[in-house]
Amino acid sequence: YLTYWRCLAAINLVFPLVVCDTNTGALAYFLEESPEENYICYRALFSPYNQIIATYCWDGRVHLWEAASGKYLHSLQGDHLGVSALAFSPDGSLLVSADADGLMKLWNPGDGALVNSLQVVEPAPITDLAFSPDGQYLACTTGRDYPKVVVWDVASGEQVTWLGFNDGVSSAAFSPDGELLAVVIRFEFVEKLEIWDWQGQNLLRHFSWKWD
């Protein structure tokens, strides 16, 4: 079987993505053209177990493909324009898309059905999404004037907690046990990594470095 390389490239308007075998570097296939013509893909994401490839493109829509063959499956209908982040749940049963207005939509990737919508209270671009390893929680990084990480309960759609920051937050990730949350903060040429006990809202440790 193929081990997929997630560095997929936009190469032209007809076949925007290629998939390569990471063992050999050889071209495996081009993604099949979707019914929507003339689009360029900005990002591609594999589902767990490499069953589906999700892409979002200049048309603002999310397209799904069969990972084993590159066959076009379907597009998410009625989704928001201007997708800014995308994530699969750990078991692959949910696909979350987020946009520049702080709206997240949870989809069933199998049939493209909308499962739920979550809205950040103060609309602002969402830059990253992260599921806890058990899939119970979803974290998003967002905010312009008031950067924050917001954590949601996936089943209920309720906001569980949020962490506020003085500078822009760019990404977040849960620890393997789900107890800690790592947050990357960027300001001009300085980057910081903070480790949080997110449920207790306690900053445990931090690291920083400066780019010349």
Side-chain angles (χ1 to χ4, degrees):
Y1 64 94
L2 291 176
T3 301
Y4 297 106
W5 179 26
R6 282 211 272 178
C7 184
L8 305 183
I11 57 172
N12 57 51
L13 296 180
V14 179
F15 299 105
L17 287 172
V18 296
V19 177
C20 296
D21 184 334
T22 54
N23 293 322
T24 65
L27 172 66
Y29 56 77
F30 291 98
L31 288 187
E32 182 180 286
E33 186 179 2
S34 79
E36 293 81 8
E37 296 180 356
N38 296 331
Y39 66 92
I40 296 177
C41 183
Y42 294 133
R43 186 179 178 186
L45 182 68
F46 282 89
S47 68
Y49 316 112
N50 290 339
Q51 295 177 326
I52 295 174
I53 301 175
T55 69
Y56 65 85
C57 309
W58 75 269
D59 61 0
R61 303 182 65 192
V62 177
H63 306 278
L64 301 181
W65 320 77
E66 184 179 82
S69 65
K71 178 183 177 182
Y72 173 78
L73 297 175
H74 52 260
S75 298
L76 301 182
Q77 300 300 317
D79 52 333
H80 30 210
L81 295 177
V83 175
S84 59
L86 202 61
F88 280 99
S89 62
D91 64 0
S93 64
L94 289 175
L95 173 63
V96 181
S97 57
D99 66 20
D101 291 324
L103 177 65
M104 293 173 287
K105 291 193 174 186
L106 284 67
W107 308 87
N108 179 336
D111 59 11
L114 179 64
V115 176
N116 200 0
S117 295
L118 307 175
Q119 176 68 59
V120 176
V121 175
E122 298 174 1
I126 292 175
T127 57
D128 193 26
L129 297 164
F131 277 94
S132 60
D134 61 5
Q136 183 177 355
Y137 299 106
L138 172 66
C140 71
T141 59
T142 184
R144 291 190 182 92
D145 298 329
Y146 305 99
K148 62 178 72 69
V149 176
V150 184
V151 181
W152 306 78
D153 183 286
V154 175
S156 67
E158 298 294 326
Q159 181 178 311
V160 177
T161 190
W162 63 276
L163 307 173
F165 301 88
N166 294 323
D167 300 318
V169 290
S170 60
S171 59
F174 285 92
S175 61
D177 62 5
E179 296 296 323
L180 304 179
L181 194 64
V183 181
V184 175
I185 303 163
R186 292 178 178 172
F187 178 71
E188 294 182 347
F189 298 105
V190 177
E191 293 194 21
K192 294 191 293 182
L193 173 65
E194 296 188 351
I195 309 298
W196 288 80
D197 163 16
W198 64 270
Q199 297 184 77
Q201 296 187 321
N202 297 317
L203 176 61
L204 302 180
R205 49 191 176 273
H206 63 88
F207 313 89
S208 63
W209 57 94
K210 184 176 181 180
W211 298 101
D212 294 328

